[in-house]
Amino acid sequence: MTVYGIGTDLCDIRRIGATLERRGDRFAERVLGPNELQVWRARTARAPARGLRYLATRFSAKEAFSKAIGLGIRHPMTWRACEILNEPSGKPVIRLHGVLADWCAERGLVAHVTVTDETDYTASFVVVETT
């Protein structure tokens, strides 16, 4: 495999919280895919701070992925077409949908992601390889 691209992102959780406060659930619904939305709603119901951290890590990981594939947030890269989910072990994985999945498959791209969060920040790192 050959490295196609590397992306990283640092996100201020307080900024995501302020945006969520201003825009309400519409912000999360714009950024999160259907599977992520289910997790976000469940975490938010249990503890709003956990839901906020989840949203911030997903936002950051999608930014990092968009940088690694060299598109930024423009077609075919959309917020909802890229989901950051967790395997049963807890390992984060990228699941792509629709045109974005097709675009990456045509190029033989495989992505690896890691996310972390601390008190006020989240960080994400993505490596995209060609098969």
Side-chain angles (χ1 to χ4, degrees):
M1 289 202 193
T2 302
V3 173
Y4 179 87
I6 298 171
T8 188
D9 189 72
L10 181 66
C11 180
D12 188 329
I13 297 170
R14 296 163 296 188
R15 189 179 118 231
I16 297 296
T19 302
L20 187 60
E21 208 170 283
R22 273 192 325 276
R23 296 189 182 167
D25 288 1
R26 285 187 330 233
F27 175 66
E29 291 163 357
R30 180 174 167 246
V31 171
L32 301 175
N35 299 300
E36 293 169 318
L37 271 172
Q38 286 181 319
V39 174
W40 175 73
R41 287 185 175 123
R43 289 187 182 192
T44 299
R46 283 194 306 271
R50 280 193 75 208
L52 175 59
R53 296 180 95 68
Y54 180 83
L55 177 58
T57 58
R58 273 46 195 175
F59 183 92
S60 176
K62 292 175 188 205
E63 284 281 335
F65 176 75
S66 74
K67 293 170 186 176
I69 61 172
L71 293 177
I73 306 295
R74 66 180 175 80
H75 188 77
M77 173 60 197
T78 64
W79 294 108
R80 294 178 48 82
C82 174
E83 289 191 296
I84 314 303
L85 304 172
N86 293 90
E87 291 181 349
S89 66
K91 177 186 174 184
V93 294
I94 295 177
R95 295 286 181 255
L96 305 176
H97 306 287
V99 177
L100 180 59
D102 296 341
W103 186 89
C104 287
E106 288 167 6
R107 289 157 179 78
L109 303 181
V110 176
H112 308 280
V113 62
T114 187
V115 298
T116 189
D117 62 271
E118 269 303 319
T119 306
D120 295 325
Y121 296 96
T122 67
S124 300
F125 189 74
V126 172
V127 175
V128 176
E129 299 176 304
T130 57
T131 55

